Amino acid sequence: SGKKALDLQLKTLEEYLFTALRFNMKSVFIIHGIGTGTLKKSISRKLRRHPAVRDFRNDHHPRYGFGATEIFFK
């Protein structure tokens, strides 16, 4: 179902952020595609509450277009 897929994607996001922080990354890209915007909105909600995230943005990127969010860590 759609809910199960979204839950899996958000769990994968958490694991990716954990790994990025473990390797002291300053920023990362999350590629979510464009679609209906459900995943992008869910990612934004999660990032707003994440204690290690300083900022994030979904500016147009030459390679990813608007289908990726750049995340900056504290």
Side-chain angles (χ1 to χ4, degrees), residues 4-72:
K4 281 185 184 178
L6 181 61
D7 288 346
L8 177 60
Q9 289 167 317
L10 293 175
K11 182 178 185 289
T12 302
L13 169 67
E14 284 293 331
E15 292 168 358
Y16 182 69
L17 294 177
F18 177 80
T19 301
L21 289 164
R22 219 174 92 221
F23 284 99
N24 295 312
M25 304 290 292
K26 301 295 178 213
S27 67
V28 293
F29 276 96
I30 299 294
I31 300 172
H32 45 67
I34 297 176
T36 62
T38 302
L39 179 57
K40 178 182 163 184
K41 289 174 193 162
S42 296
I43 288 171
S44 294
R45 271 194 301 274
K46 203 163 256 304
L47 294 176
R48 270 189 223 98
R49 296 189 313 249
H50 198 288
V53 173
R54 176 174 49 86
D55 195 15
F56 62 94
R57 62 176 168 235
N58 184 246
D59 297 335
H60 187 270
H61 185 275
R63 185 170 182 185
Y64 311 123
F66 288 107
T69 296
E70 189 171 13
I71 301 165
F72 302 93

